[in-house]
Amino acid sequence: MKHRIGYIGYGEMGGGYHWQVADDRHDVCDDLAPVAVYDLRECRRETAAERGMKAYDNLEEFLASDEFDIVVVACSNNFHCEMTCRALEAGKHVICEKPAAMSPGEFDKMVETSKKTDRYLFIHQNRRFDRDFLMVKHVIESGRLGKIYNIESTFCGGTLFGWRAFEDHAGGILYDWGVHLLDQLVYLFDEPVKSVYADLRCEKNKEVDDRSVIEMTFKSGVKARVTVAGSFLAPSPRFAVYGDTGVMWVDELYAEKATIRYSRKSEWEELPADVYGKDGAYVRNQVRLNEDLTRVEYPDDGMKYEQDWAKLYKNMLDTIDGNDEMLVHHDQVRMVLRVIEAAFKSSATGEIVHL
């Protein structure tokens, strides 16, 4: 089906990744093309014109155009809600960059506008297709680690450039990178978060957080720790996953391999143990591992992980055409925003926030 895209904001994401998908990835959609741009910066409009698109400096004129049916909202975070609602009200489907909004309340307004206008609202959480995350997701779902107790998700090195370094534009490392890591975990476990404890710091930047540590507990009891930082000079392991029969760790973002240490259920046995009390030695039974853990480099089961962010684009376009269901669910997006809201509150008060 024919789809044409207009962009609100034509910076790194709008004029980079989003434009490239529409311009180059014809496997995503048989008839997809970028056709228009709205941006207040003249240099961005000039770039758009050089690429054969119509450039607007007036939002009303841009939204009134019938040249495109989809709007990509890729402006600074603080304008996501306003621009999304205006595009929906103009009869366009919307692909909004993350974070979807500045609060759950703003996002509720966006969803309600989507329902009222009968237009689709998609949130661009493309890192559900990161290779390292796909490995973790598959291993957990395969049961090789048994029941999951803890997971640590870390990314260090995110640079806050441009508007991302300023509070009035809703910048900061949590909104820029943390939202990706939180979305991955909410998607992975697909259950509510019960509580949040966070420490957000401005170590190098004056206005916004550039080191954020968030600890959360899911409804099932799984505990997760998310760390994002732009100020750490040394890299940290991307993932560490702890289950009752094994552990997994991934060294780097986009890593093609991971390490697993695991045991088979049969290796856990109830065995006698000599212990000592006030009356001398006696024997009690204890559950312990009877053999050494097996260590393997993963994948060792023939799985191959294709990292292709454009798969999310295909899902979004197929959803509009009635051939698929939306991958990034609104309730998942809202859960992430609730965690972020709770993280700011927890960091300010020093207390656990219950959701």
Side-chain angles (χ1 to χ4, degrees), residues 129-152:
F129 291 94
D130 280 4
R131 183 184 296 108
D132 50 284
F133 172 69
L134 292 174
M135 282 197 296
V136 169
K137 184 174 185 293
H138 175 73
V139 169
I140 289 177
E141 291 176 347
S142 72
R144 291 183 69 174
L145 305 182
K147 180 180 179 181
I148 304 302
Y149 292 131
N150 295 82
I151 182 168
E152 298 175 7

mmCIF file with all atom_site columns, all heavy atoms in Angstrom, residues 129-152:
data_model
loop_
_atom_site.group_PDB
_atom_site.id
_atom_site.type_symbol
_atom_site.label_atom_id
_atom_site.label_alt_id
_atom_site.label_comp_id
_atom_site.label_asym_id
_atom_site.label_entity_id
_atom_site.label_seq_id
_atom_site.pdbx_PDB_ins_code
_atom_site.Cartn_x
_atom_site.Cartn_y
_atom_site.Cartn_z
_atom_site.occupancy
_atom_site.B_iso_or_equiv
_atom_site.pdbx_formal_charge
_atom_site.auth_seq_id
_atom_site.auth_comp_id
_atom_site.auth_asym_id
_atom_site.auth_atom_id
_atom_site.pdbx_PDB_model_num
ATOM 1   N N   . PHE A 1 129 ? 14.800 -4.429  18.874 1.00 0.00 ? 129 PHE A N   1
ATOM 2   C CA  . PHE A 1 129 ? 15.443 -5.238  17.847 1.00 0.00 ? 129 PHE A CA  1
ATOM 3   C C   . PHE A 1 129 ? 16.966 -5.200  17.949 1.00 0.00 ? 129 PHE A C   1
ATOM 4   O O   . PHE A 1 129 ? 17.656 -5.625  17.024 1.00 0.00 ? 129 PHE A O   1
ATOM 5   C CB  . PHE A 1 129 ? 14.992 -4.793  16.454 1.00 0.00 ? 129 PHE A CB  1
ATOM 6   C CG  . PHE A 1 129 ? 13.549 -5.113  16.176 1.00 0.00 ? 129 PHE A CG  1
ATOM 7   C CD1 . PHE A 1 129 ? 12.561 -4.183  16.413 1.00 0.00 ? 129 PHE A CD1 1
ATOM 8   C CD2 . PHE A 1 129 ? 13.181 -6.364  15.709 1.00 0.00 ? 129 PHE A CD2 1
ATOM 9   C CE1 . PHE A 1 129 ? 11.223 -4.475  16.174 1.00 0.00 ? 129 PHE A CE1 1
ATOM 10  C CE2 . PHE A 1 129 ? 11.854 -6.674  15.467 1.00 0.00 ? 129 PHE A CE2 1
ATOM 11  C CZ  . PHE A 1 129 ? 10.867 -5.728  15.703 1.00 0.00 ? 129 PHE A CZ  1
ATOM 12  N N   . ASP A 1 130 ? 17.517 -4.699  19.062 1.00 0.00 ? 130 ASP A N   1
ATOM 13  C CA  . ASP A 1 130 ? 18.964 -4.783  19.277 1.00 0.00 ? 130 ASP A CA  1
ATOM 14  C C   . ASP A 1 130 ? 19.373 -6.252  19.418 1.00 0.00 ? 130 ASP A C   1
ATOM 15  O O   . ASP A 1 130 ? 18.703 -7.034  20.095 1.00 0.00 ? 130 ASP A O   1
ATOM 16  C CB  . ASP A 1 130 ? 19.357 -4.034  20.554 1.00 0.00 ? 130 ASP A CB  1
ATOM 17  C CG  . ASP A 1 130 ? 19.435 -2.530  20.331 1.00 0.00 ? 130 ASP A CG  1
ATOM 18  O OD1 . ASP A 1 130 ? 19.111 -2.065  19.223 1.00 0.00 ? 130 ASP A OD1 1
ATOM 19  O OD2 . ASP A 1 130 ? 19.822 -1.821  21.282 1.00 0.00 ? 130 ASP A OD2 1
ATOM 20  N N   . ARG A 1 131 ? 20.486 -6.605  18.823 1.00 0.00 ? 131 ARG A N   1
ATOM 21  C CA  . ARG A 1 131 ? 20.928 -8.002  18.832 1.00 0.00 ? 131 ARG A CA  1
ATOM 22  C C   . ARG A 1 131 ? 21.168 -8.500  20.257 1.00 0.00 ? 131 ARG A C   1
ATOM 23  O O   . ARG A 1 131 ? 20.797 -9.629  20.600 1.00 0.00 ? 131 ARG A O   1
ATOM 24  C CB  . ARG A 1 131 ? 22.203 -8.144  18.011 1.00 0.00 ? 131 ARG A CB  1
ATOM 25  C CG  . ARG A 1 131 ? 22.700 -9.580  17.893 1.00 0.00 ? 131 ARG A CG  1
ATOM 26  C CD  . ARG A 1 131 ? 24.023 -9.646  17.155 1.00 0.00 ? 131 ARG A CD  1
ATOM 27  N NE  . ARG A 1 131 ? 23.897 -9.207  15.778 1.00 0.00 ? 131 ARG A NE  1
ATOM 28  C CZ  . ARG A 1 131 ? 24.372 -8.064  15.295 1.00 0.00 ? 131 ARG A CZ  1
ATOM 29  N NH1 . ARG A 1 131 ? 25.008 -7.222  16.091 1.00 0.00 ? 131 ARG A NH1 1
ATOM 30  N NH2 . ARG A 1 131 ? 24.227 -7.742  14.030 1.00 0.00 ? 131 ARG A NH2 1
ATOM 31  N N   . ASP A 1 132 ? 21.817 -7.703  21.095 1.00 0.00 ? 132 ASP A N   1
ATOM 32  C CA  . ASP A 1 132 ? 22.109 -8.147  22.453 1.00 0.00 ? 132 ASP A CA  1
ATOM 33  C C   . ASP A 1 132 ? 20.825 -8.427  23.221 1.00 0.00 ? 132 ASP A C   1
ATOM 34  O O   . ASP A 1 132 ? 20.718 -9.417  23.956 1.00 0.00 ? 132 ASP A O   1
ATOM 35  C CB  . ASP A 1 132 ? 22.961 -7.105  23.191 1.00 0.00 ? 132 ASP A CB  1
ATOM 36  C CG  . ASP A 1 132 ? 22.384 -5.711  23.097 1.00 0.00 ? 132 ASP A CG  1
ATOM 37  O OD1 . ASP A 1 132 ? 22.511 -5.080  22.028 1.00 0.00 ? 132 ASP A OD1 1
ATOM 38  O OD2 . ASP A 1 132 ? 21.802 -5.239  24.084 1.00 0.00 ? 132 ASP A OD2 1
ATOM 39  N N   . PHE A 1 133 ? 19.811 -7.574  23.048 1.00 0.00 ? 133 PHE A N   1
ATOM 40  C CA  . PHE A 1 133 ? 18.537 -7.789  23.730 1.00 0.00 ? 133 PHE A CA  1
ATOM 41  C C   . PHE A 1 133 ? 17.816 -9.020  23.194 1.00 0.00 ? 133 PHE A C   1
ATOM 42  O O   . PHE A 1 133 ? 17.218 -9.791  23.964 1.00 0.00 ? 133 PHE A O   1
ATOM 43  C CB  . PHE A 1 133 ? 17.648 -6.557  23.574 1.00 0.00 ? 133 PHE A CB  1
ATOM 44  C CG  . PHE A 1 133 ? 16.248 -6.778  24.085 1.00 0.00 ? 133 PHE A CG  1
ATOM 45  C CD1 . PHE A 1 133 ? 15.999 -6.932  25.435 1.00 0.00 ? 133 PHE A CD1 1
ATOM 46  C CD2 . PHE A 1 133 ? 15.176 -6.854  23.207 1.00 0.00 ? 133 PHE A CD2 1
ATOM 47  C CE1 . PHE A 1 133 ? 14.711 -7.153  25.911 1.00 0.00 ? 133 PHE A CE1 1
ATOM 48  C CE2 . PHE A 1 133 ? 13.889 -7.079  23.664 1.00 0.00 ? 133 PHE A CE2 1
ATOM 49  C CZ  . PHE A 1 133 ? 13.662 -7.227  25.024 1.00 0.00 ? 133 PHE A CZ  1
ATOM 50  N N   . LEU A 1 134 ? 17.870 -9.239  21.890 1.00 0.00 ? 134 LEU A N   1
ATOM 51  C CA  . LEU A 1 134 ? 17.211 -10.407 21.306 1.00 0.00 ? 134 LEU A CA  1
ATOM 52  C C   . LEU A 1 134 ? 17.801 -11.706 21.858 1.00 0.00 ? 134 LEU A C   1
ATOM 53  O O   . LEU A 1 134 ? 17.080 -12.683 22.085 1.00 0.00 ? 134 LEU A O   1
ATOM 54  C CB  . LEU A 1 134 ? 17.339 -10.377 19.779 1.00 0.00 ? 134 LEU A CB  1
ATOM 55  C CG  . LEU A 1 134 ? 16.561 -9.274  19.062 1.00 0.00 ? 134 LEU A CG  1
ATOM 56  C CD1 . LEU A 1 134 ? 16.892 -9.284  17.573 1.00 0.00 ? 134 LEU A CD1 1
ATOM 57  C CD2 . LEU A 1 134 ? 15.061 -9.430  19.274 1.00 0.00 ? 134 LEU A CD2 1
ATOM 58  N N   . MET A 1 135 ? 19.128 -11.719 22.084 1.00 0.00 ? 135 MET A N   1
ATOM 59  C CA  . MET A 1 135 ? 19.751 -12.903 22.676 1.00 0.00 ? 135 MET A CA  1
ATOM 60  C C   . MET A 1 135 ? 19.215 -13.156 24.075 1.00 0.00 ? 135 MET A C   1
ATOM 61  O O   . MET A 1 135 ? 18.859 -14.282 24.434 1.00 0.00 ? 135 MET A O   1
ATOM 62  C CB  . MET A 1 135 ? 21.276 -12.726 22.726 1.00 0.00 ? 135 MET A CB  1
ATOM 63  C CG  . MET A 1 135 ? 21.978 -12.946 21.412 1.00 0.00 ? 135 MET A CG  1
ATOM 64  S SD  . MET A 1 135 ? 23.768 -13.201 21.626 1.00 0.00 ? 135 MET A SD  1
ATOM 65  C CE  . MET A 1 135 ? 24.274 -11.621 22.281 1.00 0.00 ? 135 MET A CE  1
ATOM 66  N N   . VAL A 1 136 ? 19.170 -12.100 24.885 1.00 0.00 ? 136 VAL A N   1
ATOM 67  C CA  . VAL A 1 136 ? 18.677 -12.231 26.258 1.00 0.00 ? 136 VAL A CA  1
ATOM 68  C C   . VAL A 1 136 ? 17.233 -12.706 26.265 1.00 0.00 ? 136 VAL A C   1
ATOM 69  O O   . VAL A 1 136 ? 16.857 -13.607 27.020 1.00 0.00 ? 136 VAL A O   1
ATOM 70  C CB  . VAL A 1 136 ? 18.823 -10.890 27.000 1.00 0.00 ? 136 VAL A CB  1
ATOM 71  C CG1 . VAL A 1 136 ? 18.079 -10.929 28.334 1.00 0.00 ? 136 VAL A CG1 1
ATOM 72  C CG2 . VAL A 1 136 ? 20.300 -10.570 27.229 1.00 0.00 ? 136 VAL A CG2 1
ATOM 73  N N   . LYS A 1 137 ? 16.419 -12.110 25.422 1.00 0.00 ? 137 LYS A N   1
ATOM 74  C CA  . LYS A 1 137 ? 14.998 -12.459 25.373 1.00 0.00 ? 137 LYS A CA  1
ATOM 75  C C   . LYS A 1 137 ? 14.817 -13.940 25.025 1.00 0.00 ? 137 LYS A C   1
ATOM 76  O O   . LYS A 1 137 ? 14.022 -14.648 25.656 1.00 0.00 ? 137 LYS A O   1
ATOM 77  C CB  . LYS A 1 137 ? 14.279 -11.578 24.354 1.00 0.00 ? 137 LYS A CB  1
ATOM 78  C CG  . LYS A 1 137 ? 12.769 -11.777 24.276 1.00 0.00 ? 137 LYS A CG  1
ATOM 79  C CD  . LYS A 1 137 ? 12.146 -10.732 23.336 1.00 0.00 ? 137 LYS A CD  1
ATOM 80  C CE  . LYS A 1 137 ? 10.631 -10.821 23.342 1.00 0.00 ? 137 LYS A CE  1
ATOM 81  N NZ  . LYS A 1 137 ? 10.141 -12.067 22.749 1.00 0.00 ? 137 LYS A NZ  1
ATOM 82  N N   . HIS A 1 138 ? 15.553 -14.405 24.029 1.00 0.00 ? 138 HIS A N   1
ATOM 83  C CA  . HIS A 1 138 ? 15.405 -15.797 23.604 1.00 0.00 ? 138 HIS A CA  1
ATOM 84  C C   . HIS A 1 138 ? 15.865 -16.764 24.692 1.00 0.00 ? 138 HIS A C   1
ATOM 85  O O   . HIS A 1 138 ? 15.209 -17.775 24.949 1.00 0.00 ? 138 HIS A O   1
ATOM 86  C CB  . HIS A 1 138 ? 16.187 -16.049 22.324 1.00 0.00 ? 138 HIS A CB  1
ATOM 87  C CG  . HIS A 1 138 ? 16.179 -17.484 21.908 1.00 0.00 ? 138 HIS A CG  1
ATOM 88  N ND1 . HIS A 1 138 ? 15.078 -18.102 21.368 1.00 0.00 ? 138 HIS A ND1 1
ATOM 89  C CD2 . HIS A 1 138 ? 17.148 -18.452 21.987 1.00 0.00 ? 138 HIS A CD2 1
ATOM 90  C CE1 . HIS A 1 138 ? 15.341 -19.368 21.123 1.00 0.00 ? 138 HIS A CE1 1
ATOM 91  N NE2 . HIS A 1 138 ? 16.596 -19.608 21.491 1.00 0.00 ? 138 HIS A NE2 1
ATOM 92  N N   . VAL A 1 139 ? 17.000 -16.476 25.330 1.00 0.00 ? 139 VAL A N   1
ATOM 93  C CA  . VAL A 1 139 ? 17.517 -17.380 26.360 1.00 0.00 ? 139 VAL A CA  1
ATOM 94  C C   . VAL A 1 139 ? 16.558 -17.465 27.542 1.00 0.00 ? 139 VAL A C   1
ATOM 95  O O   . VAL A 1 139 ? 16.293 -18.544 28.073 1.00 0.00 ? 139 VAL A O   1
ATOM 96  C CB  . VAL A 1 139 ? 18.918 -16.934 26.817 1.00 0.00 ? 139 VAL A CB  1
ATOM 97  C CG1 . VAL A 1 139 ? 19.350 -17.701 28.055 1.00 0.00 ? 139 VAL A CG1 1
ATOM 98  C CG2 . VAL A 1 139 ? 19.934 -17.141 25.692 1.00 0.00 ? 139 VAL A CG2 1
ATOM 99  N N   . ILE A 1 140 ? 16.010 -16.334 27.956 1.00 0.00 ? 140 ILE A N   1
ATOM 100 C CA  . ILE A 1 140 ? 15.049 -16.352 29.065 1.00 0.00 ? 140 ILE A CA  1
ATOM 101 C C   . ILE A 1 140 ? 13.811 -17.153 28.678 1.00 0.00 ? 140 ILE A C   1
ATOM 102 O O   . ILE A 1 140 ? 13.333 -18.004 29.444 1.00 0.00 ? 140 ILE A O   1
ATOM 103 C CB  . ILE A 1 140 ? 14.667 -14.915 29.465 1.00 0.00 ? 140 ILE A CB  1
ATOM 104 C CG1 . ILE A 1 140 ? 15.852 -14.230 30.151 1.00 0.00 ? 140 ILE A CG1 1
ATOM 105 C CG2 . ILE A 1 140 ? 13.451 -14.914 30.389 1.00 0.00 ? 140 ILE A CG2 1
ATOM 106 C CD1 . ILE A 1 140 ? 15.599 -12.788 30.522 1.00 0.00 ? 140 ILE A CD1 1
ATOM 107 N N   . GLU A 1 141 ? 13.288 -16.906 27.481 1.00 0.00 ? 141 GLU A N   1
ATOM 108 C CA  . GLU A 1 141 ? 12.066 -17.589 27.053 1.00 0.00 ? 141 GLU A CA  1
ATOM 109 C C   . GLU A 1 141 ? 12.298 -19.082 26.817 1.00 0.00 ? 141 GLU A C   1
ATOM 110 O O   . GLU A 1 141 ? 11.366 -19.880 26.936 1.00 0.00 ? 141 GLU A O   1
ATOM 111 C CB  . GLU A 1 141 ? 11.516 -16.928 25.787 1.00 0.00 ? 141 GLU A CB  1
ATOM 112 C CG  . GLU A 1 141 ? 10.975 -15.522 26.047 1.00 0.00 ? 141 GLU A CG  1
ATOM 113 C CD  . GLU A 1 141 ? 10.518 -14.827 24.783 1.00 0.00 ? 141 GLU A CD  1
ATOM 114 O OE1 . GLU A 1 141 ? 10.846 -15.324 23.672 1.00 0.00 ? 141 GLU A OE1 1
ATOM 115 O OE2 . GLU A 1 141 ? 9.846  -13.788 24.885 1.00 0.00 ? 141 GLU A OE2 1
ATOM 116 N N   . SER A 1 142 ? 13.534 -19.458 26.511 1.00 0.00 ? 142 SER A N   1
ATOM 117 C CA  . SER A 1 142 ? 13.838 -20.883 26.300 1.00 0.00 ? 142 SER A CA  1
ATOM 118 C C   . SER A 1 142 ? 13.892 -21.663 27.604 1.00 0.00 ? 142 SER A C   1
ATOM 119 O O   . SER A 1 142 ? 13.867 -22.894 27.592 1.00 0.00 ? 142 SER A O   1
ATOM 120 C CB  . SER A 1 142 ? 15.183 -21.025 25.572 1.00 0.00 ? 142 SER A CB  1
ATOM 121 O OG  . SER A 1 142 ? 16.266 -20.702 26.442 1.00 0.00 ? 142 SER A OG  1
ATOM 122 N N   . GLY A 1 143 ? 13.998 -20.962 28.742 1.00 0.00 ? 143 GLY A N   1
ATOM 123 C CA  . GLY A 1 143 ? 14.020 -21.618 30.041 1.00 0.00 ? 143 GLY A CA  1
ATOM 124 C C   . GLY A 1 143 ? 15.384 -22.100 30.490 1.00 0.00 ? 143 GLY A C   1
ATOM 125 O O   . GLY A 1 143 ? 15.492 -22.771 31.531 1.00 0.00 ? 143 GLY A O   1
ATOM 126 N N   . ARG A 1 144 ? 16.443 -21.786 29.753 1.00 0.00 ? 144 ARG A N   1
ATOM 127 C CA  . ARG A 1 144 ? 17.766 -22.312 30.094 1.00 0.00 ? 144 ARG A CA  1
ATOM 128 C C   . ARG A 1 144 ? 18.297 -21.764 31.418 1.00 0.00 ? 144 ARG A C   1
ATOM 129 O O   . ARG A 1 144 ? 19.159 -22.384 32.041 1.00 0.00 ? 144 ARG A O   1
ATOM 130 C CB  . ARG A 1 144 ? 18.762 -22.008 28.977 1.00 0.00 ? 144 ARG A CB  1
ATOM 131 C CG  . ARG A 1 144 ? 18.478 -22.780 27.719 1.00 0.00 ? 144 ARG A CG  1
ATOM 132 C CD  . ARG A 1 144 ? 19.521 -22.529 26.653 1.00 0.00 ? 144 ARG A CD  1
ATOM 133 N NE  . ARG A 1 144 ? 20.814 -23.107 26.991 1.00 0.00 ? 144 ARG A NE  1
ATOM 134 C CZ  . ARG A 1 144 ? 21.847 -23.120 26.159 1.00 0.00 ? 144 ARG A CZ  1
ATOM 135 N NH1 . ARG A 1 144 ? 21.719 -22.594 24.948 1.00 0.00 ? 144 ARG A NH1 1
ATOM 136 N NH2 . ARG A 1 144 ? 22.992 -23.651 26.512 1.00 0.00 ? 144 ARG A NH2 1
ATOM 137 N N   . LEU A 1 145 ? 17.788 -20.626 31.849 1.00 0.00 ? 145 LEU A N   1
ATOM 138 C CA  . LEU A 1 145 ? 18.240 -20.046 33.108 1.00 0.00 ? 145 LEU A CA  1
ATOM 139 C C   . LEU A 1 145 ? 17.268 -20.339 34.243 1.00 0.00 ? 145 LEU A C   1
ATOM 140 O O   . LEU A 1 145 ? 17.489 -19.897 35.373 1.00 0.00 ? 145 LEU A O   1
ATOM 141 C CB  . LEU A 1 145 ? 18.423 -18.532 32.965 1.00 0.00 ? 145 LEU A CB  1
ATOM 142 C CG  . LEU A 1 145 ? 19.350 -18.060 31.850 1.00 0.00 ? 145 LEU A CG  1
ATOM 143 C CD1 . LEU A 1 145 ? 19.460 -16.552 31.860 1.00 0.00 ? 145 LEU A CD1 1
ATOM 144 C CD2 . LEU A 1 145 ? 20.727 -18.705 31.963 1.00 0.00 ? 145 LEU A CD2 1
ATOM 145 N N   . GLY A 1 146 ? 16.207 -21.062 33.941 1.00 0.00 ? 146 GLY A N   1
ATOM 146 C CA  . GLY A 1 146 ? 15.211 -21.354 34.956 1.00 0.00 ? 146 GLY A CA  1
ATOM 147 C C   . GLY A 1 146 ? 14.371 -20.134 35.297 1.00 0.00 ? 146 GLY A C   1
ATOM 148 O O   . GLY A 1 146 ? 14.126 -19.262 34.456 1.00 0.00 ? 146 GLY A O   1
ATOM 149 N N   . LYS A 1 147 ? 13.950 -20.049 36.527 1.00 0.00 ? 147 LYS A N   1
ATOM 150 C CA  . LYS A 1 147 ? 13.167 -18.903 36.991 1.00 0.00 ? 147 LYS A CA  1
ATOM 151 C C   . LYS A 1 147 ? 14.085 -17.708 37.173 1.00 0.00 ? 147 LYS A C   1
ATOM 152 O O   . LYS A 1 147 ? 15.118 -17.784 37.831 1.00 0.00 ? 147 LYS A O   1
ATOM 153 C CB  . LYS A 1 147 ? 12.487 -19.235 38.321 1.00 0.00 ? 147 LYS A CB  1
ATOM 154 C CG  . LYS A 1 147 ? 11.648 -18.103 38.879 1.00 0.00 ? 147 LYS A CG  1
ATOM 155 C CD  . LYS A 1 147 ? 11.011 -18.506 40.207 1.00 0.00 ? 147 LYS A CD  1
ATOM 156 C CE  . LYS A 1 147 ? 10.198 -17.356 40.783 1.00 0.00 ? 147 LYS A CE  1
ATOM 157 N NZ  . LYS A 1 147 ? 9.580  -17.714 42.085 1.00 0.00 ? 147 LYS A NZ  1
ATOM 158 N N   . ILE A 1 148 ? 13.716 -16.576 36.578 1.00 0.00 ? 148 ILE A N   1
ATOM 159 C CA  . ILE A 1 148 ? 14.557 -15.384 36.640 1.00 0.00 ? 148 ILE A CA  1
ATOM 160 C C   . ILE A 1 148 ? 14.307 -14.629 37.940 1.00 0.00 ? 148 ILE A C   1
ATOM 161 O O   . ILE A 1 148 ? 13.163 -14.340 38.301 1.00 0.00 ? 148 ILE A O   1
ATOM 162 C CB  . ILE A 1 148 ? 14.302 -14.465 35.430 1.00 0.00 ? 148 ILE A CB  1
ATOM 163 C CG1 . ILE A 1 148 ? 14.524 -15.234 34.122 1.00 0.00 ? 148 ILE A CG1 1
ATOM 164 C CG2 . ILE A 1 148 ? 15.202 -13.233 35.488 1.00 0.00 ? 148 ILE A CG2 1
ATOM 165 C CD1 . ILE A 1 148 ? 15.900 -15.840 33.970 1.00 0.00 ? 148 ILE A CD1 1
ATOM 166 N N   . TYR A 1 149 ? 15.408 -14.300 38.614 1.00 0.00 ? 149 TYR A N   1
ATOM 167 C CA  . TYR A 1 149 ? 15.321 -13.530 39.854 1.00 0.00 ? 149 TYR A CA  1
ATOM 168 C C   . TYR A 1 149 ? 15.736 -12.072 39.658 1.00 0.00 ? 149 TYR A C   1
ATOM 169 O O   . TYR A 1 149 ? 15.084 -11.160 40.155 1.00 0.00 ? 149 TYR A O   1
ATOM 170 C CB  . TYR A 1 149 ? 16.215 -14.158 40.931 1.00 0.00 ? 149 TYR A CB  1
ATOM 171 C CG  . TYR A 1 149 ? 15.744 -15.504 41.410 1.00 0.00 ? 149 TYR A CG  1
ATOM 172 C CD1 . TYR A 1 149 ? 16.624 -16.579 41.485 1.00 0.00 ? 149 TYR A CD1 1
ATOM 173 C CD2 . TYR A 1 149 ? 14.427 -15.701 41.803 1.00 0.00 ? 149 TYR A CD2 1
ATOM 174 C CE1 . TYR A 1 149 ? 16.203 -17.822 41.934 1.00 0.00 ? 149 TYR A CE1 1
ATOM 175 C CE2 . TYR A 1 149 ? 13.996 -16.938 42.260 1.00 0.00 ? 149 TYR A CE2 1
ATOM 176 C CZ  . TYR A 1 149 ? 14.880 -17.993 42.321 1.00 0.00 ? 149 TYR A CZ  1
ATOM 177 O OH  . TYR A 1 149 ? 14.453 -19.213 42.763 1.00 0.00 ? 149 TYR A OH  1
ATOM 178 N N   . ASN A 1 150 ? 16.856 -11.887 38.969 1.00 0.00 ? 150 ASN A N   1
ATOM 179 C CA  . ASN A 1 150 ? 17.415 -10.539 38.804 1.00 0.00 ? 150 ASN A CA  1
ATOM 180 C C   . ASN A 1 150 ? 17.924 -10.352 37.390 1.00 0.00 ? 150 ASN A C   1
ATOM 181 O O   . ASN A 1 150 ? 18.395 -11.293 36.758 1.00 0.00 ? 150 ASN A O   1
ATOM 182 C CB  . ASN A 1 150 ? 18.591 -10.306 39.760 1.00 0.00 ? 150 ASN A CB  1
ATOM 183 C CG  . ASN A 1 150 ? 18.188 -10.311 41.211 1.00 0.00 ? 150 ASN A CG  1
ATOM 184 O OD1 . ASN A 1 150 ? 18.046 -11.369 41.799 1.00 0.00 ? 150 ASN A OD1 1
ATOM 185 N ND2 . ASN A 1 150 ? 17.998 -9.138  41.780 1.00 0.00 ? 150 ASN A ND2 1
ATOM 186 N N   . ILE A 1 151 ? 17.852 -9.103  36.924 1.00 0.00 ? 151 ILE A N   1
ATOM 187 C CA  . ILE A 1 151 ? 18.456 -8.743  35.642 1.00 0.00 ? 151 ILE A CA  1
ATOM 188 C C   . ILE A 1 151 ? 19.056 -7.353  35.766 1.00 0.00 ? 151 ILE A C   1
ATOM 189 O O   . ILE A 1 151 ? 18.458 -6.460  36.377 1.00 0.00 ? 151 ILE A O   1
ATOM 190 C CB  . ILE A 1 151 ? 17.428 -8.821  34.490 1.00 0.00 ? 151 ILE A CB  1
ATOM 191 C CG1 . ILE A 1 151 ? 18.110 -8.489  33.147 1.00 0.00 ? 151 ILE A CG1 1
ATOM 192 C CG2 . ILE A 1 151 ? 16.232 -7.917  34.743 1.00 0.00 ? 151 ILE A CG2 1
ATOM 193 C CD1 . ILE A 1 151 ? 17.232 -8.826  31.943 1.00 0.00 ? 151 ILE A CD1 1
ATOM 194 N N   . GLU A 1 152 ? 20.254 -7.186  35.245 1.00 0.00 ? 152 GLU A N   1
ATOM 195 C CA  . GLU A 1 152 ? 20.926 -5.893  35.237 1.00 0.00 ? 152 GLU A CA  1
ATOM 196 C C   . GLU A 1 152 ? 21.135 -5.464  33.793 1.00 0.00 ? 152 GLU A C   1
ATOM 197 O O   . GLU A 1 152 ? 21.669 -6.225  32.980 1.00 0.00 ? 152 GLU A O   1
ATOM 198 C CB  . GLU A 1 152 ? 22.267 -5.986  35.966 1.00 0.00 ? 152 GLU A CB  1
ATOM 199 C CG  . GLU A 1 152 ? 22.127 -6.355  37.436 1.00 0.00 ? 152 GLU A CG  1
ATOM 200 C CD  . GLU A 1 152 ? 23.465 -6.562  38.117 1.00 0.00 ? 152 GLU A CD  1
ATOM 201 O OE1 . GLU A 1 152 ? 24.508 -6.288  37.465 1.00 0.00 ? 152 GLU A OE1 1
ATOM 202 O OE2 . GLU A 1 152 ? 23.478 -7.010  39.276 1.00 0.00 ? 152 GLU A OE2 1
#
